[in-house]
Amino acid sequence: MAKLKDLASMEDRLVAGHGLCLGCGIPLIFKMVLRATEDPLIIANATGCLEVCTTIFPRTSWNVTWIHSAFENAAATIAGVEAMYKSLKRKGRIPKDKKIKFLGVGGDGGTYDIGLQALSGAVERGHDIVYVCYDNNAYANTGGQRSSATPFGASATTSPEGSQSPGKLQWRKDLTKILVAHNIPYAAQSSPHRWQDLYNKAKKAFETEGPAFLNVLCFCPTEWKYDESQGIRLAQLAADTCIWPLYEVESGKYKVNYKPKEKKPVLEWLKPQGRFRHLFKEENAPILEEFQKQVDRDWEELLKLESF
Amino acid sequence: MSTLKTLNGNQTIAEAVRQIDPDVVAAYPITPSTAIVETIAKFRADGLISGEFVCPESEHSAMSVCIGAASAGGRVMTATASQGLALMWEMLYIAAGLRLPIVAAIANRSLSAPINIHGDHSDTMGARDSGWIQIYSEGCQEAYDNFIQAFRIAEHLDVRTPVLVGLDGFIISHSLEVIQVEDDAKVKKFVGEYKPVYPLFDTDRKMTVGPIDFTDYYFEHKRSQIEGIENAPPVIEAVGKEFGKTFGREYGFFEEYRMDDAETCIVVMSSAAGTCKDAIDELRSEGKKIGLLKPRVFRPFPHQKIAEALKKTKAVAVLDRSSSPGAFGAPLFTEIRSALYDYQERPPIVNYVYGLGGRDIMVEHFKDVAQKLEKIAETGKVEEWLGYINLRE
Ligand SMILES: Cc1ncc(C[n+]2csc(CCOP(=O)(O)OP(=O)(O)O)c2C)c(N)n1
Ligand code: SF4
Ligand SMILES: [Mg+2]
């Protein structure tokens, strides 16, 4: 087990000076993920908050080799880097003992939506890559439009609540399970409030031969609309309400890594967030009820999958 | 050893790929370039090439894989056509903007709708502002020769710009021609070793590639990108000459056919130029002073050289195998007409769009054009600046 003291003494690969919002979950996630390997690393980053806020030319916050090419193709870009690595190793132009790790990263927009095809293709082809999605439930960089990861009932700028609408009408896409369905060796869900969980999963992902996928819940004070000091508490609540279960699937075997002793009502997670404020109007009570039911169903299903 | 082989256009490209053995090939099938991709896959399966072959789930990803692979630090190529190139469009600009010397073989094909699988230049003309160098081929031999030269041009340190080589869909891609296939070792030597520039694999450098520019830097970066393609002409010329010295077939920016004393001229690219040559021969035997100018390099456009070659003629017809709806002429026409603008003495010029969706153009069509040119030369007047060849109206 890694000790926080040891991790703290490691050099940051994503350093200060970036323009991410105060209280943003992104740097927390990536500072931890990037500690999980000490090998040379190449990152392909999809367009989004992480990319834009860390690389405003001529400055960069990346203390590691990094490339951005477009929004929907981080997986294809890193696959290309990995393909070249294989080729040059075979041709003897990269020394046999030089090991490089390959990491694709994107937000939920760049992963669940526009980049899903490229990710599906890359993992299906079996590239030896890790892909980390930071899921902040919205297209945050462009001002908080809905994505297929935006929760049911949330108000986003392209699924706004109004007199005729209670916000987003669709349930979230279950991306982690979609990746599991690709029969990749490792897929997991994590969250930054459990640093040990995140570190362990990232480490496993880097050590996996072949494609590994990590979906990390990323709190976003700007688009979730809450007091920015409360991010970690909200991440904890997402796990305690079972809205964002922490689990991993290794070679098809499910393991739920965190089971709350007492499952909290979803209201506790929804309440502090401005994007759900309208749900607490009387007429939207059925939406809240539906929300709770769906979370319960998903949780039961996950426990069943684990017991197989 | 240089040998004569009967190959179609797709096979000639594949043959060149086998000889060059790029480090990564990433390509997605689409008619009429599919056979290039299949043949490369088989070469890999049979151990005839040692580079990595990646078969992504789309052309957008194919070009993205090329971009990742080329940034990593090796030689990269792809092949596509039509909708495939259209789907790559976003990434074409990024490949050029990141100054990656990727080479693409394009079996030129029309764009939907209506869907059509046959040859025209709509696909590559749609990418003409993407920053890629564009070279067009008249037949299989030229496709082979151009493709080999493309790597030298793209990778030249003053250029570092991606290159696409066009070969007309079906008309070249699927037509057999007896071509000179050069010796493997000689081709390898001509192309040379790949010299990576700022490769990602130099992980000690910890580079940030592709950061965001705001209004304070974007313009300068774009300007320096444009410089790459502006530096290309002397390189294209030198590589064409060296190719001639090495293999006996020299290349320039365009070919002039019976232009010495020509009073009228037809400008046409790619496979149609072959048919045009036959027409010119027949017309010459009837005593008509007509010639052909066949552009080979469309980007960078050799405007001055072409204008010099045309300025003394009495009438010029530019034939385009693509259209630019609403524009003042199709792409080749607008370039040439504009190139002649600076000359006091300049010929009247007319545009003909031909061959969309693979519609044939035959000797008699060129003869019709020649007749119209003769009239224009006589009167000095262009009555209709745009016409369509072999079209039911
Ligand atoms: C092809 C394309 N479409 C749209 C955009 C505009 N765009 C840039 S980032 C972004 C949203 C990113 O959302 P996400 O991936 O969730 O990352 P986040 O901003 O939340 O970090 C959008 C829509 C783009 N850059 N490219
Ligand atoms: S908008 Fe959200 S995800 Fe983006 S930087 Fe701000 S807090 Fe982070
Ligand atoms: Mg997002």
Side-chain angles (χ1 to χ4, degrees):
Chain A
M1 279 253 275
K3 287 207 179 72
L4 198 50
K5 198 175 78 191
D6 299 333
L7 294 180
S9 69
M10 282 175 80
E11 197 185 18
D12 268 329
R13 281 170 155 181
L14 172 62
V15 302
H18 55 71
L20 294 155
C21 304
L22 186 70
C24 174
I26 292 178
L28 233 57
I29 293 170
F30 285 97
K31 283 183 182 201
M32 192 51 77
V33 166
L34 297 181
R35 279 174 159 70
T37 178
E38 287 184 82
D39 288 333
L41 180 66
I42 298 176
I43 300 175
N45 196 162
T47 314
C49 280
L50 174 59
E51 169 261 338
V52 168
C53 299
T54 56
T55 63
I56 297 175
F57 188 85
R59 283 175 286 273
T60 179
S61 294
W62 295 95
N63 191 17
V64 61
T65 310
W66 181 98
I67 181 171
H68 164 259
S69 75
F71 182 23
E72 65 282 62
N73 67 349
T77 306
I78 201 65
V81 179
E82 186 261 5
M84 185 56 82
Y85 174 75
K86 267 196 220 139
S87 174
L88 298 192
K89 272 238 155 144
R90 185 158 57 234
K91 293 184 176 195
R93 277 157 47 202
I94 293 180
K96 272 216 164 60
D97 56 347
K98 175 153 188 177
K99 252 207 236 147
I100 305 179
K101 292 281 185 345
F102 305 99
L103 173 64
V105 300
D108 46 305
T111 311
Y112 285 68
D113 290 345
I114 201 165
L116 180 60
Q117 174 181 316
L119 176 62
S120 171
V123 302
E124 181 274 333
R125 292 191 301 276
H127 293 279
D128 192 4
I129 56 172
V130 176
Y131 190 98
V132 175
C133 172
Y134 63 97
D135 177 358
N136 58 12
N137 298 181
Y139 298 170
N141 181 54
T142 44
Q145 296 81 29
R146 91 192 271 285
S147 78
S148 57
T150 301
F152 177 65
S155 186
T157 60
T158 50
S159 62
E161 61 92 14
S163 65
Q164 304 300 310
S165 175
K168 191 183 168 197
L169 297 167
Q170 300 80 19
W171 197 251
R172 286 165 44 85
K173 185 189 279 181
D174 193 342
L175 181 67
T176 308
K177 295 232 179 65
I178 293 172
L179 268 295
V180 172
H182 284 71
N183 296 316
I184 56 175
Y186 188 71
Q189 247 178 223
S190 187
S191 182
H193 71 285
R194 295 214 136 206
W195 64 267
Q196 188 82 54
D197 182 87
L198 181 57
Y199 174 83
N200 288 345
K201 285 173 178 170
K203 197 163 159 57
K204 264 192 200 170
F206 281 123
E207 282 165 6
T208 300
E209 230 178 276
F213 174 77
L214 207 54
N215 201 359
V216 188
L217 184 69
C218 178
F219 43 82
C220 166
T222 309
E223 300 308 338
W224 296 12
K225 300 182 173 47
Y226 61 86
D227 165 3
E228 67 270 283
S229 67
Q230 298 300 304
I232 289 289
R233 202 176 71 85
L234 276 178
Q236 174 75 53
L237 276 170
D240 284 339
T241 54
C242 299
I243 281 172
W244 188 263
L246 310 183
Y247 69 98
E248 62 192 336
V249 186
E250 256 174 294
S251 309
K253 183 89 191 102
Y254 277 78
K255 182 172 193 293
V256 180
N257 310 97
Y258 175 73
K259 290 174 193 162
K261 281 200 192 77
E262 220 178 301
K263 192 157 158 260
K264 293 194 169 151
V266 295
L267 292 183
E268 289 193 29
W269 186 69
L270 299 174
K271 201 122 206 192
Q273 302 183 50
R275 60 179 173 156
F276 298 116
R277 187 171 299 126
H278 58 286
L279 295 186
F280 295 89
K281 286 189 214 153
E282 216 178 297
E283 67 268 26
N284 284 331
I287 301 281
L288 287 178
E289 216 172 290
E290 176 56 28
F291 201 117
Q292 183 66 59
K293 271 195 205 143
Q294 186 63 41
V295 169
D296 292 345
R297 274 197 294 266
D298 287 352
W299 178 245
E300 290 307 316
E301 195 199 323
L302 183 65
L303 294 178
K304 257 191 249 155
L305 285 168
E306 189 191 31
S307 65
F308 269 136
Chain B
M1 211 180 58
S2 173
T3 48
L4 284 175
K5 281 190 185 167
T6 308
L7 300 174
N8 67 31
N10 283 340
Q11 290 166 328
T12 64
I13 297 291
E15 193 59 9
V17 171
R18 185 190 59 72
Q19 297 180 311
I20 296 164
D21 192 4
D23 301 314
V24 170
V25 178
Y28 188 87
I30 180 168
T31 305
S33 59
T34 301
I36 300 175
V37 187
E38 291 172 336
T39 312
I40 295 169
K42 185 73 172 120
F43 285 159
R44 181 76 198 103
D46 292 341
L48 296 177
I49 53 173
S50 61
E52 195 68 10
F53 171 69
V54 185
C55 190
E57 80 300 330
S58 74
E59 287 89 351
H60 191 284
S61 283
M63 187 47 68
S64 302
V65 167
C66 286
I67 287 169
S71 308
R75 183 172 280 148
V76 175
M77 68 126 334
T78 187
T80 189
S82 182
Q83 307 307 119
L85 189 66
L87 191 57
M88 281 182 185
W89 196 79
E90 179 192 26
M91 302 317 298
L92 294 177
Y93 281 72
I94 293 172
L98 293 175
R99 302 290 295 276
L100 300 171
I102 298 163
V103 172
I106 312 296
N108 286 106
R109 167 184 153 182
S110 58
L111 289 174
S112 302
I115 186 169
N116 166 289
I117 57 169
H118 289 281
D120 74 31
H121 298 156
S122 309
D123 50 7
T124 46
M125 285 301 158
R128 67 188 185 274
D129 292 336
S130 63
W132 284 55
I133 292 170
Q134 298 202 357
I135 304 178
Y136 290 82
S137 325
E138 182 185 327
C140 298
Q141 183 74 60
E142 283 194 14
Y144 174 79
D145 294 351
N146 284 338
F147 190 74
I148 292 169
Q149 291 172 66
F151 290 90
R152 285 284 301 276
I153 298 164
E155 292 168 15
H156 192 284
L157 292 182
D158 296 341
V159 180
R160 293 285 299 182
T161 296
V163 178
L164 68 80
V165 173
L167 51 147
D168 286 350
F170 287 101
I171 305 165
I172 304 178
S173 68
H174 286 62
S175 297
L176 291 170
E177 187 181 314
V178 179
I179 76 152
Q180 201 79 44
V181 173
E182 302 300 342
D183 178 60
D184 286 4
K186 249 173 115 177
V187 171
K188 264 199 180 67
K189 184 158 173 252
F190 182 84
V191 173
E193 256 178 44
Y194 184 81
K195 290 182 205 71
V197 177
Y198 300 120
L200 298 178
F201 286 155
D202 187 358
T203 46
D204 293 338
R205 279 183 98 105
K206 300 179 178 173
M207 275 181 305
T208 290
V209 176
I212 182 168
D213 275 358
F214 288 133
T215 47
D216 50 355
Y217 284 100
Y218 181 87
F219 206 171
E220 282 72 21
H221 284 153
K222 273 292 158 192
R223 179 66 191 94
S224 76
Q225 177 198 327
I226 294 166
E227 209 170 286
I229 200 163
E230 281 175 350
N231 289 341
V235 175
I236 294 171
E237 201 159 15
V239 170
K241 282 218 169 78
E242 191 187 325
F243 194 86
K245 272 208 197 99
T246 318
F247 301 115
R249 295 178 299 281
E250 193 178 308
Y251 287 87
F253 294 95
F254 49 84
E255 181 189 338
E256 290 176 276
Y257 187 74
R258 305 191 77 162
M259 278 294 287
D260 280 350
D261 59 343
E263 289 177 355
T264 59
C265 174
I266 296 176
V267 180
V268 69
M269 299 200 302
S270 305
S271 63
T275 316
C276 187
K277 284 175 187 168
D278 282 351
I280 302 259
D281 287 346
E282 285 184 28
L283 289 162
R284 281 278 177 177
S285 71
E286 294 163 18
K288 315 270 188 211
K289 289 193 168 167
I290 185 162
L292 156 75
L293 189 145
K294 179 190 83 181
R296 170 182 177 246
V297 179
F298 181 74
R299 283 286 183 272
F301 193 74
H303 57 94
Q304 216 164 4
K305 288 195 167 68
I306 286 189
E308 285 294 330
L310 294 177
K311 68 175 188 201
K312 288 254 156 56
T313 61
K314 292 188 177 146
V316 174
V318 179
L319 273 57
D320 272 280
R321 201 165 199 146
S322 66
S323 63
S324 183
F328 181 26
L332 192 54
F333 173 78
T334 56
E335 296 285 345
I336 292 178
R337 196 174 190 278
S338 163
L340 287 164
Y341 182 83
D342 287 332
Y343 293 78
Q344 288 287 319
E345 195 191 351
R346 60 187 177 223
I349 179 167
V350 58
N351 192 196
Y352 290 100
V353 170
Y354 75 99
L356 299 192
R359 176 67 50 85
D360 268 338
I361 183 162
M362 291 176 286
V363 169
E364 60 258 38
H365 298 123
F366 287 106
K367 284 180 146 179
D368 282 348
V369 170
Q371 219 172 19
K372 285 177 183 143
L373 275 181
E374 223 175 306
K375 201 174 153 216
I376 294 172
E378 260 170 45
T379 61
K381 278 202 186 96
V382 175
E383 262 155 35
E384 271 185 279
W385 62 270
L386 176 65
Y388 295 88
I389 295 172
N390 197 12
L391 172 77
R392 294 188 297 270
E393 284 201 274

